[in-house]
Amino acid sequence: MEYIIMIISAVLVSNIVLANFLGICPFLGVSGKITTASGMAGAVLFVMAVASIVTWMIQQYILTPFGLGFLQTIAFILVIAALVQVVEIILKKVSPPLYQALGVFLPLITTNCAILGVALLITQKEYNLIEGTIYAIGNALGFALALIIFAGIREHLELMEVPKGMRGMPIALVVAGILSLAFMGFANLV
């Protein structure tokens, strides 16, 4: 039951994008179409889950025992970048169609601060490996939910008559703020 509450909290209550404001760049940049948003969401889900496992292990078995905690951020960034490169190489060899679908999104994931933020939060909250992985998956699902909802709204806005000064990014920022307020309605859920 604790894990279900953790997932619901990560998806709805403390959404990584709409409550913690991490991952804003891909949230605004890739949310033009639902297809691209869902591709990015899938890639983030995979990389965030694997990165959280690898960074947790590095923290527990290398950084903490040897007193190298001050290298945490640099080590996590290197791990995430290397992981994205490895995933890209493996996908290119094993599944070219999947690589073509995600190939555009994989380099963007390297600079997605939500992945680094979740890895750091797992360490700060002192989760064990299972809790950290569930927390990462919940945050990735929250990122996906926010991104796909936002992409759907932005696609709908393309069909609307938006005032000239509000077209493009201005209306997107207003909608993102309203979406953030809507997610605040879940604050007392858990």
Side-chain angles (χ1 to χ4, degrees):
M1 190 64 168
E2 177 185 334
Y3 297 141
I4 294 170
I5 292 171
M6 187 182 289
I7 289 174
I8 291 171
S9 175
V11 172
L12 298 174
V13 178
S14 60
N15 188 287
I16 196 75
V17 178
L18 301 174
N20 293 324
F21 307 111
L22 294 173
I24 297 292
C25 292
F27 179 71
L28 293 173
V30 185
S31 61
K33 302 275 183 216
I34 291 179
T35 55
T36 57
S38 58
M40 177 61 130
V44 166
L45 175 64
F46 178 75
V47 172
M48 193 177 286
V50 175
S52 69
I53 293 169
V54 173
T55 56
W56 184 89
M57 287 183 183
I58 287 175
Q59 180 70 34
Q60 294 299 316
Y61 298 119
I62 297 172
L63 297 178
T64 301
F66 295 108
L68 300 172
F70 61 93
L71 293 174
Q72 181 186 52
T73 304
I74 294 169
F76 286 9
I77 289 170
L78 290 174
V79 165
I80 291 167
L83 180 63
V84 169
Q85 290 302 313
V86 168
V87 168
E88 191 171 356
I89 291 168
I90 290 171
L91 283 179
K92 194 173 188 178
K93 297 278 185 193
V94 174
S95 178
L98 185 58
Y99 172 75
Q100 290 296 328
L102 298 178
V104 176
F105 307 116
L106 287 174
L108 290 174
I109 293 173
T110 305
T111 60
N112 188 345
C113 61
I115 295 173
L116 176 62
V118 168
L120 292 171
L121 286 171
I122 289 170
T123 303
Q124 282 179 350
K125 294 181 179 193
E126 298 179 354
Y127 287 143
N128 63 35
L129 183 61
I130 294 170
E131 291 170 340
T133 305
I134 289 172
Y135 182 74
I137 290 169
N139 276 292
L141 291 173
F143 180 83
L145 178 67
L147 187 63
I148 291 170
I149 289 172
F150 190 56
I153 293 171
R154 285 187 70 183
E155 277 187 2
H156 186 71
L157 283 172
E158 293 294 322
L159 304 173
M160 306 299 292
E161 289 187 30
V162 178
K164 189 175 181 180
M166 289 296 290
R167 289 185 190 143
M169 198 51 66
I171 193 69
L173 290 171
V174 169
V175 168
I178 294 170
L179 190 58
S180 179
L181 287 171
F183 269 68
M184 285 177 63
F186 296 113
N188 292 325
L189 185 64
V190 230

